[in-house]
Amino acid sequence: MKDKYALVTGAAKGIGRSCVLHLAKLGINVAINYRSSSKQAASLSKEIEALGVKSLAIQADVSDLGEVQNMIKAILKDFPRIDILVNNAGIIDDTLLVRMKDDQWTNVINTNLNGTFYCTRELIRGMMTNRWGRIINIGSIVGSRGNPGQTNYSTSKAGIIGFANGTGCEIGDEIVLTQQDLDDLSWSYGAYIPDDNCKDYLGADGHGFFKGGLLNPNRLQPPLQRRVPLHV
């Protein structure tokens, strides 16, 4: 995986940070997107540069198309291309549906789902031109099961599943892997992939046959325990 370049959105903390470290340990150069966590992003960038890869931390709100476009232009001044996109940026704003305000709905949808769309659309042409690309979308089990108080978040993650499936149908036969990652990849249509190798597995040269597939670590877990909703 030498001479590959990746962009991870929402990468300063949590799952995004873990993705950055995994990619860097494979020798992949990584652009670290963040919205507000500038110190954490700068620290992470230095950390992976110590591993011998190139890195830059770049601020952008993925819910804003203009900021996404400017971010990618800035990255491509330092990187020759972007081979791997990890759509990780996401927010929550939980409340019961009957109490949910318009901005609680739109902010979550705009960041989680529209941000995934904007980043993918802006990068997919270059991947097709280069005949190689990987797109990994970070999802959640609530996208298929729902959760009380998370109608907005559940909808955004369900949309990502449909988005990846549709994208896979359109361009999967060209070069691009589209993939939903349910927080901690393990299972794919019954085929076991070790947890610590999952993102490495998806990013590798030989695994472009996953086109819109859903890797679900919760496949063998019992149904979610529904908590009692708050009184309206």
Side-chain angles (χ1 to χ4, degrees):
M1 297 299 290
K2 301 293 184 181
D3 195 36
K4 297 295 184 185
Y5 297 83
L7 165 62
V8 182
T9 66
K13 298 181 291 185
I15 293 173
R17 184 179 189 279
S18 176
C19 291
V20 169
L21 290 171
H22 270 284
L23 293 169
K25 288 174 183 178
L26 288 174
I28 298 170
N29 308 292
V30 188
I32 300 165
N33 161 255
Y34 67 94
R35 186 178 66 173
S36 57
S37 303
S38 58
K39 291 182 180 180
Q40 293 93 330
S43 175
L44 179 59
S45 182
K46 291 180 180 179
E47 182 176 350
I48 66 170
E49 284 177 347
L51 297 175
V53 301
K54 296 178 181 178
S55 176
L56 67 151
I58 185 161
Q59 192 279 332
D61 181 349
V62 299
S63 71
D64 185 307
L65 175 58
E67 291 195 25
V68 169
Q69 292 172 330
N70 290 335
M71 170 181 67
I72 292 171
K73 288 178 182 178
I75 293 171
L76 292 177
K77 289 180 180 179
D78 290 313
F79 287 3
R81 64 191 178 277
I82 298 173
D83 304 298
I84 300 167
L85 169 63
V86 181
N87 284 309
N88 171 72
I91 62 171
I92 59 172
D93 195 348
D94 296 349
T95 190
L96 296 176
L97 180 61
V98 71
R99 293 176 173 173
M100 190 172 292
K101 298 178 181 178
D102 288 356
D103 61 350
Q104 290 178 290
W105 174 269
T106 56
N107 289 343
V108 171
I109 296 297
N110 286 343
T111 298
N112 301 4
L113 184 55
N114 291 352
T116 295
F117 163 65
Y118 293 149
C119 292
T120 302
R121 187 182 62 179
E122 293 302 308
L123 291 176
I124 207 167
R125 188 179 299 275
M127 293 180 181
M128 294 177 71
T129 298
N130 295 327
R131 304 295 298 172
W132 199 98
R134 295 290 185 270
I135 301 172
I136 302 171
N137 300 319
I138 305 300
S140 172
I141 189 59
V142 303
S144 58
R145 294 186 180 181
N147 205 36
Q150 290 193 315
T151 304
N152 49 4
Y153 184 74
S154 299
T155 301
S156 71
K157 294 302 183 177
I160 286 174
I161 294 173
F163 176 76
N165 286 332
T167 306
C169 289
E170 289 186 12
I171 48 79
D173 288 338
E174 295 286 332
I175 42 81
V176 181
L177 162 72
T178 61
Q179 184 63 51
Q180 306 99 47
D181 165 8
L182 297 189
D183 302 331
D184 182 24
L185 298 175
S186 291
W187 292 88
S188 175
Y189 304 110
Y192 182 67
I193 303 172
D195 291 345
D196 57 352
N197 292 326
C198 288
K199 295 176 183 66
D200 305 353
Y201 184 87
L202 288 176
D205 284 330
H207 302 118
F209 55 83
F210 284 101
K211 298 164 185 173
L214 178 64
L215 295 188
N216 187 350
N218 304 287
R219 181 184 181 93
L220 300 182
Q221 294 181 6
L224 292 175
Q225 296 296 317
R226 300 289 184 178
R227 67 177 183 269
V228 178
L230 299 172
H231 290 293
V232 179

